[in-house]
Every structure is written in structure tokens, then in C-alpha cells.
Amino acid sequence: MARLHEYQGKAILAANGFKIPHGRAASTAEEAVAAAGELGGEVVIKIQAWTTGRAGVGGVAFAKTPEDVRDHGARMLAMKVGQFPVEAVLVEEKIAIDQEFFLSFAIDDRSRAPVIIFAAGGGSGFEERAASTKRIACDVKSGPVESTVNEAVSSCVLLPEHENQLADWIRKLFVAARSVAAHSLRVHP
């Protein structure tokens, strides 16, 4: 299974029809300032390291001015989170968020099959909410089990049109993950 940074995952999601915030990765404070300048307005800067709890270690910050972007970018790029050095930050537009959800595609070791992990409430502090997550079984060829998708979505308090959109995102996540897996398994001469 591929191990991706947030900016890499978001590029895959965008290529598969997901709407994501505009932004790009930067490996220097000056690149971060340039990225923020291209976006205009307030931005969010996030460390790109293979770890959880980024906000809790100062790895997520909002910035309104180029000086703020430079300061946060330099500070974050000097960080080491656990065993992972921060080699890049994601600079993206700040957007209004009504509600967050956590979706993750994984391979279940026990069943040796794909599974989508779903939770209402976004990714920050996800480990502490593990008991409230839903595991959506997936058939390798046909994707997530529809009844499990419907059960997971109905556990959220959403308007019907938002329930349909969330169910669609869950199905699209499987398609995106399958395309990444198929690409990574190709043999190149």
C-alpha cells in the first residue's frame, strides 16, 4: 500500500473528482511564501510528515501575511516529529468548514481485503475516537458494501442531499484507491 503525504493524497483525490482546497507543497519558507502569494488571502500551513496529531505539535497554523507564512514555514520545516523530519509543508487556501469526516482506505490484515475506515469528526484526534469509527468492507472488484455505506452515512445527522454526497464520496474513495493500487502494481521495464 502506498504511503502518501497529504498533498499527494489530495492530488489523487482531485484527479478522481473530489473538490479539494487550492494549494501546493513547499520545501522552503520562501516557496511557502510564494505559494501563499499565488493563493491570496488567509492560508493554512500544515507539516507533511507521516504522523498523526500534527495540530497538537504545532504542525498546523493559519497565516494572513507573507511574514506569518515565512515564520511558520521556517519553524515547521525545522521540526522533527517523532522519527520523521519535516521536509515539506502544505500551503493551501483557508476554507470554511461546516462539518468534517475522516475517510481512510486500508487493507484489513485479518480479512486480507480492502476496507474504508469512516468517522464523523475529521482526522484530528482520530485515535481517541477509534471506538466510534465504522469499518466499511469492500469487495476487491465491486467496492464498498452498499448496506454498510448506508449504515455509516445514516449514523451522521445530515440532510438527505448531504447523505447522498457523503455516500458518493465513500464510493469514489474506493475507485481512487484502486487506481493508485493498479498503478503501483504495474511492472515497468
Side-chain angles (χ1 to χ4, degrees):
M1 183 57 61
R3 188 172 213 179
L4 304 172
H5 288 295
E6 180 181 0
Y7 72 92
Q8 295 166 318
K10 283 184 171 180
I12 292 167
L13 292 174
N16 283 277
F18 285 83
K19 184 178 175 187
I20 63 165
H22 295 101
R24 67 177 169 93
S27 58
T28 68
E30 291 308 315
E31 285 180 11
V33 170
E38 293 166 10
L39 296 170
E42 191 170 359
V43 297
V44 61
I45 306 161
K46 299 183 264 186
I47 63 171
Q48 299 298 286
W50 292 319
T51 186
T52 60
R54 295 179 296 172
V57 297
V60 177
F62 296 96
K64 292 182 180 180
T65 67
E67 295 77 25
D68 290 342
V69 173
R70 185 177 292 105
D71 291 347
H72 288 304
R75 175 183 58 77
M76 290 177 183
L77 289 164
M79 293 173 71
K80 185 174 182 183
V81 182
Q83 63 183 6
F84 301 106
V86 176
E87 297 176 348
V89 294
L90 174 59
V91 180
E92 62 184 10
E93 65 183 328
K94 181 182 175 190
I95 59 171
I97 298 172
D98 291 330
Q99 188 172 0
E100 290 184 299
F101 299 95
F102 178 89
L103 283 174
S104 175
F105 181 85
I107 301 298
D108 183 293
D109 290 336
R110 191 171 301 145
S111 66
R112 295 183 173 212
V115 63
I116 294 175
I117 302 168
F118 168 78
S124 183
F126 175 75
E127 293 75 17
E128 292 78 32
R129 298 188 321 271
S132 66
T133 63
K134 309 281 187 210
R135 297 174 63 82
I136 301 169
C138 298
D139 178 89
V140 174
K141 293 181 181 175
S142 60
V145 176
E146 198 63 30
S147 62
T148 312
V149 170
N150 294 338
E151 179 184 318
V153 169
S154 67
S155 70
C156 304
V157 180
L158 298 171
L159 297 172
E161 63 267 19
H162 293 149
E163 282 187 6
N164 293 336
Q165 184 178 34
L166 180 55
D168 186 48
W169 288 340
I170 291 169
R171 289 186 290 272
K172 281 174 130 177
L173 178 63
F174 177 81
V175 173
R178 187 172 56 188
S179 70
V180 170
H183 178 74
S184 66
L185 292 175
R186 289 189 188 123
V187 177
H188 299 282

